[in-house]
Each structure stands twice: as C-alpha cells, then as structure tokens.
C-alpha cells in the first residue's frame, strides 16, 4: 500500500513538472536562451508548424537568424540582456507573452510580444514582434 502511495505521489509530481515546463512563458524563455546562444535550429524547433506553413520556412529562419544576430551584436558590446516584466495570458489554445528585453541601462531595450498556440498539446511560438 505504501509503495502505491509513493508511486502515486511521484507520478503527480512528474506530471506537474511536465506541465510547468511547457508553459508559454517557459517556451519563450527557451526561445530567448536559444537566440542568446545563436541556436537558430533550436529557435525553429519552438515555432508552430502552422506559422512555418503560413510564413514559409525560409522567412521564419531568416527572422530568427536576424534576431539571434542582433542579440549577439548587443552582447558583443559587453551588455547583459535580461527579461523584465514578463506577463503571460492564456486563453484556451492560444497565449500571449510580453516583456521588456534589454540591458540594465535600458539603452538597448525592446518590448516584445510573443503569440503562441498549442500544437499536439505543446505550446509553440506562432509570432514574435514588438508589443503595441
């Protein structure tokens, strides 16, 4: 009986951890981490198939490469970029994540908005742009 209880608690814990790891904000943080390391393939893996089909793979890859290059340029100037004021809004199978991304002095900062959709139960980036 005790073994079953321990197993049930472990299963609940693993399920909770998996659902937390796939939140819209977590996906966006992974996208930013990939951009900071120049991992465009990693950025592409976080994109929704629907977005790639609508915009074209080369356009999405080019946009991701441009963003990663910009991040590398700013970081190459010795600036540390960070996410501030992150806000997440979920409505069914769509979500929005917005935040300020930039340096401490806010000289090189931008207010970004990520639109995400659920595909096969996982949050994926649908669109990235400046917040309005």
């Amino acid at each position: 009986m005790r073994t079953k209880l321990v197993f049930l608690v472990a299963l609940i814990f693993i399920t909770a951890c998996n659902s937390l790891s796939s939140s819209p904000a977590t996906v966006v943080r992974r996208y930013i981490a990939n951009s900071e390391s120049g991992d465009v393939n990693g950025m592409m893996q976080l994109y929704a198939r629907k977005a790639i089909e609508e915009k074209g793979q080369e356009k999405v890859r080019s946009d991701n490469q441009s963003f990663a290059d910009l991040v590398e340029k700013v970081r190459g100037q010795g600036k540390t970029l960070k996410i501030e004021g992150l806000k997440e809004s979920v409505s069914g199978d769509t979500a929005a994540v917005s935040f300020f991304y930039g340096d401490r002095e806010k000289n090189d900062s931008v207010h970004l908005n990520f639109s995400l959709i659920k595909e096969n139960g996982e949050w994926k980036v649908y669109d990235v742009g400046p917040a309005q």
Side-chain angles (χ1 to χ4, degrees):
M1 179 72 173
R2 181 182 162 121
T3 305
K4 288 181 182 179
L5 182 60
V6 169
F7 178 76
L8 182 60
V9 169
L11 184 62
I12 290 170
F13 178 75
I14 290 168
T15 303
C17 288
N18 285 340
S19 66
L20 287 175
S21 68
S22 63
S23 74
T26 300
V27 171
V28 169
R29 287 184 188 279
R30 272 191 248 143
Y31 179 92
I32 294 296
N34 286 337
S35 73
E36 290 176 346
S37 66
D39 184 2
V40 175
N41 289 331
M43 296 165 77
M44 291 294 293
Q45 289 176 356
L46 296 172
Y47 248 84
R49 192 172 321 152
K50 181 178 178 181
I52 293 171
E53 289 170 1
E54 290 176 2
K55 298 172 187 177
Q57 184 167 348
E58 290 309 311
K59 170 73 171 135
V60 174
R61 179 173 290 285
S62 173
D63 289 349
N64 286 333
Q65 184 67 60
S66 294
F67 185 73
D69 290 347
L70 179 62
V71 169
E72 180 183 13
K73 180 181 175 185
V74 172
R75 293 181 75 194
Q77 297 169 355
K79 296 180 180 177
T80 302
L81 300 174
K82 63 181 185 169
I83 294 172
E84 290 186 337
L86 187 138
K87 295 179 185 173
E88 175 184 278
S89 172
V90 177
S91 178
D93 287 344
T94 63
V97 176
S98 64
F99 56 92
F100 286 95
Y101 183 60
D103 65 348
R104 286 195 175 135
E105 295 80 33
K106 302 209 189 291
N107 294 328
D108 292 307
S109 294
V110 63
H111 191 194
L112 292 173
N113 188 58
F114 282 68
S115 298
L116 297 94
I117 60 173
K118 261 194 177 176
E119 284 186 344
N120 300 319
E122 293 184 21
W123 288 107
K124 296 287 188 171
V125 174
Y126 181 75
D127 194 29
V128 180
Q132 299 173 6

